[in-house]
Amino acid sequence: MTAARTTGAAHTADGGEVPGDRTAADSGPPRGSARAAAHDTVAAVVRQWRTVRPDIDTRPMEIIGRVNRCAALLQQAEDAPLRHAGLTKPEFDVLGTLRRTDHELTPGELARETFSSGAAVTKRLKHLGERGLVERRGDDRDRRVAHVRLTDAGRELVDSLLPEQLAYESAALSGLDEARQDELASILGELLIQLEGRLGGPRG
């Protein structure tokens, strides 16, 4: 089924408008100048889609695509303190969870706290244990249950890495002033609450 046609202006591939009819997908609020003028990699993808499929609304792609791209760039960054320490972000999440809760946790509790699957947490704990950063002890009443805690080395590593990682992330956000950072954090928080309510579950 094709989109209904309405009288108005159609968007060109570069975000401008030309006289004539436009589709219902374009009948919402006009695209802001900031969006039309964007030159990031996602904007290029969007322009290509709008050229070959001008009937579809690309706004979800413009948001989710940028969130995914930002996350990928931060995770791949070679100069991140976590990478220098030989840790992945999920592994640091495990260490950080044990540090911020400041008590022993079971693998199941760690999975819930870090939004991960049990299998993924087990793998991370094995690697962290081999490095001497965490240790397990059996439950006194149920041998099937294990309790995990930071070693002294694990605690020291978290305490030394956290300020470095936060400084790195602050530098990554330095192109936005504090007001815009606060606004972005608020908007992302609203989105996260909605997604956790609808799509919540282990990440893996």
Side-chain angles (χ1 to χ4, degrees), residues 181-199:
Q181 288 185 34
D182 289 344
E183 181 183 10
L184 179 60
S186 178
I187 292 172
L188 289 176
E190 293 177 18
L191 176 61
L192 181 59
I193 289 172
Q194 294 179 30
L195 294 179
E196 285 182 336
R198 290 163 41 200
L199 309 174

Side-chain angles (χ1 to χ4, degrees), residues 105-109 136-148:
L105 294 172
T106 67
E109 290 170 334
R136 296 171 178 249
R137 71 169 181 84
D139 189 270
D140 295 334
R141 293 172 296 182
D142 189 343
R143 293 183 178 180
R144 297 171 299 177
V145 177
H147 298 270
V148 183

Side-chain angles (χ1 to χ4, degrees), residues 77-91:
E78 293 290 343
D79 58 342
L82 296 185
R83 187 175 290 264
H84 287 169
L87 291 172
T88 65
K89 183 64 167 64
E91 288 171 345

Side-chain angles (χ1 to χ4, degrees), residues 144-163:
R144 297 171 299 177
V145 177
H147 298 270
V148 183
R149 63 189 174 195
L150 288 174
T151 62
D152 289 342
R155 179 184 292 264
E156 290 175 5
L157 181 62
V158 174
D159 286 350
S160 64
L161 266 182
L162 183 59

Side-chain angles (χ1 to χ4, degrees), residues 97-120:
T97 298
L98 290 169
R99 183 68 177 99
R100 63 181 167 80
T101 57
D102 204 26
H103 59 75
E104 295 178 343
L105 294 172
T106 67
E109 290 170 334
L110 281 168
R112 287 191 293 273
E113 286 285 337
T114 59
F115 310 105
S116 303
S117 67

Side-chain angles (χ1 to χ4, degrees), residues 42-117:
V42 173
V45 171
V46 168
R47 285 194 294 271
Q48 290 172 338
W49 275 116
R50 290 173 63 192
T51 297
V52 299
R53 287 295 307 274
D55 57 308
I56 62 174
D57 183 358
T58 60
R59 280 175 292 188
M61 186 186 303
E62 294 176 54
I63 297 170
I64 295 175
R66 288 186 170 102
V67 170
N68 289 340
R69 179 61 175 156
C70 287
L73 287 172
L74 290 171
Q75 291 170 0
Q76 295 167 7
E78 293 290 343
D79 58 342
L82 296 185
R83 187 175 290 264
H84 287 169
L87 291 172
T88 65
K89 183 64 167 64
E91 288 171 345
F92 188 72
D93 284 345
V94 170
L95 296 176
T97 298
L98 290 169
R99 183 68 177 99
R100 63 181 167 80
T101 57
D102 204 26
H103 59 75
E104 295 178 343
L105 294 172
T106 67
E109 290 170 334
L110 281 168
R112 287 191 293 273
E113 286 285 337
T114 59
F115 310 105
S116 303
S117 67

Side-chain angles (χ1 to χ4, degrees), residues 6 9-11 15-17 22-36 50 56-60 62:
T6 60
H11 292 287
E17 291 188 347
R22 65 178 179 177
T23 63
D26 294 322
S27 62
R31 297 174 183 266
S33 59
R35 287 175 59 194
R50 290 173 63 192
I56 62 174
D57 183 358
T58 60
R59 280 175 292 188
E62 294 176 54

